[in-house]
Amino acid sequence: MPKESRSGEPNHIQRFGAPVTEKLDARRRRSPDFAAEIEALHVLTRALNVSDTEMLQTLVDIALKLCNAGSAGISLRERNARQPQTFRWVALAGQCAGLVGHLLQSDDSPAAVTLELGSPQLFAFPKRQFDCLAIVTPEVTEELVVPVPGTPEPWGALWVMAHDEHLHFDSEHRRILTSLANFTCAALTIKQAKADAEARAEDAEAARNALSAVEAHQVDFIATLGHELRNPLAPIDTALAAAQKLAAGNAAVLSALAVANRQVRQLKRLVSDLLDTSRIRHGKLSVRPAIGLLGDIVKDAMAAVTEEAERRQQQLHVTLPAYPVTVFADAARLTQVVSNLLSNAVKYTPTGGEITLRVDAPDPGTIPEDDSTLREAIITLRDNGMGIAPDVLPHIFDMFAQSPSARTRAQGGLGVGLSVVRYLVNAHRGEIAVRSEGEGTGTEVTVRLPIVCRTQLEHAAATTHGISPARILLVDDNADATEALAMLLTLDGHEVKRAQTGLEALSIVESFMPDIALIDINMPGMDGHELARLLREREQCSSTRLVALSGYAWATSDPAAGESGFDCHLIKPPSLEDLADVLRGLPDH
């Protein structure tokens, strides 16, 4: 707890003058660059597997770039030093880069003031207040400092400096820096936990338990990142869908929107892969088999990659059995398996390359009526792309595994997709194998699944998402997300009301009786669960279908979900298909 002076102000403020932090919110906030932040996440995730020095340097390089600063750095406490407020500049970027390792012997530093105040602080011309900055050149016009949290005490501080009087930091820079500081905390905690586990290596059981806890912390942290990234992706995705409806007939605009859509799909896939790793860890990534047609599953997977393959002028050949093949499998998860493998083939095959997909399966009509044994379907995918090096091939299914050549590609992914694919194949009691003669020789993937059954079905007819107009209440503290989704639903003919807080939603339902309410669970103040309970108590909402929205994978499959007052749960951002399914469940009105 900060030590207060007699006047009620922390000691540092009386000695060095108060920061000018209030200016952050007074200044015009710059527009967020979510694409740059997604790419930063990509880089930071990889940095978890390198040394502390490289990982911290990656962090400050990203802080420098995202904040457009002149200098950036991390000040960590010297935990073994005699003076508790001694800091060392462990990683620097920009014009201060040559000062790495500089030790601040006293507590007269921006980091000390920031930690004592316990929140991000902005300092104007800090060299005039702190003697420890005298070695910094050129002049520092502003310094934004945020604490790096930790237990039992903060690790230190992350900061950016401006050396140009025309550069001013704002609340958007504070948000970015705070997010990076939280990542720094998690990364340092993971590194410390691993170091502690290795130090206790003599006790093998204790070491295994510690490493397991580290892995759980890492997966949970990645899931949290995925949740946070869904917030900006949701309004972007729905706004693009609305823009496409509004731009119907304008070829130039639709062409530009198509480019944006491809990039958003790539970002959504990265986030979905991250969330699936969390679902696996929590045992929530399950399969729900049902009777279906293998041909429909493959065609759905093909639809997800055909546009990209055509853009790359690749030859995509598919061979299916001449007869309908009935399977007992989770169609959605099996589509995910095939589309992921196809996407990898498209991604790592050069322009003009060739990709072949072959499905071999017995004719269900030849299976005796009294034989319930599931027969095997074999899916073989070959490409003449970049191939896989022999030393990488044994680890291809490991989490975050990638070859060095794959890391250099702009769309290299996070290296978690094949890990999820193997999990889903195993969940279907199947096997997957990957073969390659080396880099530049192409790749062959074989998936064997015991899913073919006798039951015969006709191919499903094309469906539409046409649904009757409904009264919809959107409740989310993210204004951009609700605005974009409201526009899209309104264009489809629904009557939509929006609220950013639970109290605002309760006020709206006094005069508006929604058929369905989409409610964000994690709102400040009154959260989604409390709002759902209060809506249930109102007679005008007795028939309202309450749908919870959450970015966390495990929240949507919680066995106690029915006790929360919601009729169902959806992951943010909800797809149009998910919303259509929920709306179709409404009674005719």
Side-chain angles (χ1 to χ4, degrees), residues 185-316:
C185 166
L188 290 173
T189 301
I190 290 171
K191 299 287 186 181
Q192 184 63 49
K194 286 183 177 180
D196 292 343
E198 292 169 358
R200 298 192 300 269
E202 292 182 1
D203 185 346
E205 185 63 28
R208 282 194 296 269
N209 291 339
L211 288 173
S212 177
V214 169
E215 292 172 0
H217 186 91
Q218 180 172 344
V219 171
D220 288 348
F221 176 70
I222 290 173
T224 301
L225 282 178
H227 164 69
E228 292 299 329
L229 289 170
R230 280 185 176 273
N231 286 333
L233 275 178
I236 294 172
D237 192 27
T238 49
L240 282 173
Q244 285 179 311
K245 289 179 177 290
L246 294 171
N250 190 324
V253 174
L254 289 175
S255 177
L257 290 174
V259 174
N261 263 323
R262 284 197 297 271
Q263 296 304 312
V264 167
R265 283 199 301 270
Q266 173 70 6
L267 298 181
K268 288 173 68 177
R269 181 180 172 188
L270 291 175
V271 174
S272 294
D273 282 349
L274 288 174
L275 291 175
D276 276 345
T277 64
S278 174
R279 294 187 184 101
I280 291 173
R281 177 74 189 186
H282 290 274
K284 302 298 184 182
L285 189 62
S286 59
V287 297
R288 298 177 176 84
I291 300 297
L293 287 172
L294 184 56
D296 289 342
I297 291 171
V298 173
K299 289 174 184 176
D300 286 344
M302 290 284 297
V305 302
T306 298
E307 181 182 355
E308 183 65 15
E310 291 176 350
R311 191 178 71 84
R312 294 171 179 254
Q313 300 179 337
Q314 295 168 340
Q315 301 298 315
L316 190 56

Side-chain angles (χ1 to χ4, degrees), residues 77-161:
R77 291 178 184 269
E78 288 289 286
R79 298 201 168 195
N80 297 325
R82 295 180 179 178
Q83 298 183 25
Q85 288 293 78
T86 300
F87 296 91
R88 186 180 298 276
W89 286 349
V90 295
L92 298 174
Q95 300 198 51
C96 284
L99 300 176
V100 171
H102 177 62
L103 188 65
L104 284 66
Q105 296 288 352
S106 63
D107 61 356
D108 65 330
S109 69
V113 173
T114 299
L115 296 189
E116 186 166 5
L117 294 173
S119 61
Q121 300 297 323
L122 179 68
F123 300 89
F125 296 97
K127 289 180 62 175
R128 303 175 186 177
Q129 305 173 51
F130 303 98
D131 294 338
C132 63
L133 298 182
I135 62 171
V136 177
T137 56
E139 178 61 38
V140 182
T141 56
E142 284 191 356
E143 181 177 8
L144 176 59
V145 188
V146 301
V148 176
T151 302
E153 61 183 6
W155 287 91
L158 175 64
W159 48 265
V160 289
M161 290 179 178

